[in-house]
Amino acid sequence: MPHSSINYIDVFNHNRASWDRQAAQHCEWSRPVSADEIAAARNGSWRVRLTPNALPSGWLDNVRSLRILCLASGGGQQAPVLAAAGAAVTVFDASDRQLAQDRMVAQRDGLELNVVQGDMRDLSVFADASFDLVFHPISNLYVPDIRPVWRECFRVLRSGGTLLSSFYNPVVFIGDRDPAYAEQEMIRPRFTLPYSDVEHLDAKALADKQRRGDALVFGHSLDEQIGGQLEAGFFLTGFYEDNQPRPRFVIDRYMPTFLATRASKP
């Protein structure tokens, strides 16, 4: 039977430990940029990604002297590049091992980088209007409630500041994950939105996932993702979709499953 409450599971600390393990195993999002990439960024040749492909023109063309918060984006990738490109960067993440990758790049390449560990839903360590831009790549699937994330982003941005965020199209969370369906290229809807590992998996599947140390995930609706930004006070100023270059699910082969938004604080 599905679970009715997530109160008995410490999702934050479970997922923090899961990402510590993934970082130790050098997963895709835990492989720091090279010294050559940092040198190129210092010379004006750089890019960071919200989704697999490049950002649209005008979304983040010049970062020199900007105060940037890289939110839930440790791993030694985006934050060091932005710092090398001339921004004053703070990287904030739940996983200390992910942040260790940023510390390593900063030390290796002589970068000034502020590194802070914590929960993306609570940015109380930062004062109001501390940043010009928040860069928030796909990560809010690891928290069960995201409206606090948008409210905190709004608070720590200055007036006129920008939020760049990305997330999965929630359609990826509704399908039955039995490999037999994937082998037949079938999509069998099973779960409703918003989706929650804790609420929707049966007791055995949830226990197995916890025992393996896999991160617990949550498929937030577009009302929570986009509507939540608007409710927090943002104006939506840009939107795009992107394809999954290495499809994990059948649906990835038929539609773009990455979504990205650009929003401004009045």
Side-chain angles (χ1 to χ4, degrees), residues 152-228:
E152 283 290 81
C153 287
F154 189 86
R155 182 186 63 78
V156 302
L157 279 169
R158 65 166 172 81
S159 178
T162 301
L163 166 66
L164 302 183
S165 64
S166 58
F167 38 87
Y168 287 111
N169 187 318
V171 71
V172 303
F173 293 96
I174 69 171
D176 193 307
R177 297 166 198 170
D178 187 331
Y181 293 113
E183 290 169 7
Q184 300 173 63
E185 291 205 0
M186 290 179 59
I187 302 169
R188 177 183 180 270
R190 177 182 173 188
F191 304 111
T192 57
L193 293 174
Y195 170 79
S196 162
D197 270 352
V198 179
E199 299 283 350
H200 288 88
L201 294 181
D202 61 46
K204 181 180 183 304
L206 178 60
D208 287 346
K209 193 164 192 180
Q210 290 178 278
R211 185 168 55 252
R212 292 192 305 267
D214 294 346
L216 300 172
V217 300
F218 304 85
H220 304 292
S221 68
L222 294 180
D223 179 61
E224 295 170 298
Q225 295 283 19
I226 297 175

Side-chain angles (χ1 to χ4, degrees), residues 222-241:
L222 294 180
D223 179 61
E224 295 170 298
Q225 295 283 19
I226 297 175
Q229 293 183 44
L230 300 177
E231 288 173 15
F234 286 104
F235 290 123
L236 196 65
T237 58
F239 176 86
Y240 74 91
E241 299 176 297

Side-chain angles (χ1 to χ4, degrees), residues 12-25 29-30 32 72-76 91-105 113-119:
F12 173 77
N13 280 308
H14 174 87
N15 284 350
R16 177 189 53 75
S18 175
W19 271 100
D20 280 348
R21 280 187 288 273
Q22 291 185 65
Q25 294 164 3
W29 301 109
S30 303
S73 61
V91 56
F92 185 98
D93 201 279
S95 165
D96 196 61
R97 278 187 175 268
Q98 281 285 85
L99 293 171
Q101 305 287 47
D102 295 280
R103 294 187 190 98
M104 183 277 290
V105 177
L113 196 59
N114 187 29
V115 176
V116 182
Q117 193 272 342
D119 186 332

